[in-house]
Amino acid sequence: ALLDLTGVHQVQGTWMASVTLPCTYMPSDGFTEQTLIWSMERDHSTSTIFRRDYSGDHVLLSQFRNRVSVPKHSPGDASLILENLEIPDSGHYTCQVVWRTKNNSVITREVTTAVKVVKVAATKPIIRAGELGLVVPAGARTSLTCVASGSPPISYRWFRGTPGQKALLLSSQAELVWDSLQPSDTGKYYCEAENR
């Protein structure tokens, strides 16, 4: 079991989410990782996505730039982290590790994972109704929190005013906070939730 790569046969990822393709081994004395190459086969052609060697980490396909990484500073972990999944990311990914031994011979192992990217049924955000007619003493600290269900990521905005009329944007967070309420804060507030 010396220097066996461990991976999984198949991984399913969700469109726009991220996924990890496991590729691990037990580091052992006398074996130095020389290169790590992640390649992808799709439509009968194979391309190298990622290469780690003595000169550092290199992402070789522009469609994966800023979207792929391999853990640093964790010996034996050569797993590929793939972010912001796109439908064309589906394919067969191969992790190939090359070690050099103390007497300068070379050992190569590889493991292949099939990746399938699926779209989930997207749902619009539904906001849980808040309390109406909140009465709070002046000078108190209080907050309103907007909670919505639906496909992530969901962004929130708080307004002061009435929906459909002129309104003042107060916050781009789910929570609207007052450190010290003033009588002038009396009024109507509403929240908007939005996703892709």
Side-chain angles (χ1 to χ4, degrees), residues 150-165:
S151 305
I154 298 177
S155 61
Y156 295 94
R157 293 189 302 176
W158 273 103
F159 296 90
R160 179 173 185 172
T162 314
Q165 288 158 13

Side-chain angles (χ1 to χ4, degrees), residues 72-148:
K72 286 180 162 60
H73 319 304
S74 25
D77 191 354
S79 305
L80 187 74
I81 301 155
L82 194 46
E83 298 176 73
N84 284 331
L85 284 169
E86 299 288 354
I87 300 299
D89 293 341
S90 296
H92 288 83
Y93 290 73
T94 298
C95 171
Q96 183 196 66
V97 181
V98 177
W99 295 271
R100 190 167 279 284
T101 65
K102 277 197 172 121
N103 57 10
N104 271 342
S105 60
V106 166
I107 295 177
T108 303
R109 295 274 187 274
E110 49 185 49
V111 60
T112 299
T113 302
V115 173
K116 189 175 180 212
V117 181
V118 294
K119 280 199 171 183
V120 285
T123 53
K124 283 172 88 165
I126 298 168
I127 297 179
R128 202 172 68 208
E131 300 171 61
L132 289 172
L134 214 56
V135 179
V136 189
R141 177 185 158 75
T142 193
S143 66
L144 294 173
T145 303
C146 193
V147 181

Side-chain angles (χ1 to χ4, degrees), residues 1-7 23-26 76 99 107 109-111:
L2 193 60
L3 290 183
D4 263 351
L5 283 184
T6 307
C23 179
T24 56
Y25 63 90
M26 281 295 295
W99 295 271
I107 295 177
R109 295 274 187 274
E110 49 185 49
V111 60

Side-chain angles (χ1 to χ4, degrees), residues 5-37:
L5 283 184
T6 307
V8 292
H9 291 304
Q10 198 168 6
V11 166
Q12 184 166 296
T14 307
W15 180 63
M16 295 310 296
S18 37
V19 74
T20 298
L21 312 190
C23 179
T24 56
Y25 63 90
M26 281 295 295
S28 55
D29 285 345
F31 295 88
T32 312
E33 185 183 305
Q34 191 166 298
T35 55
L36 157 66
I37 290 172

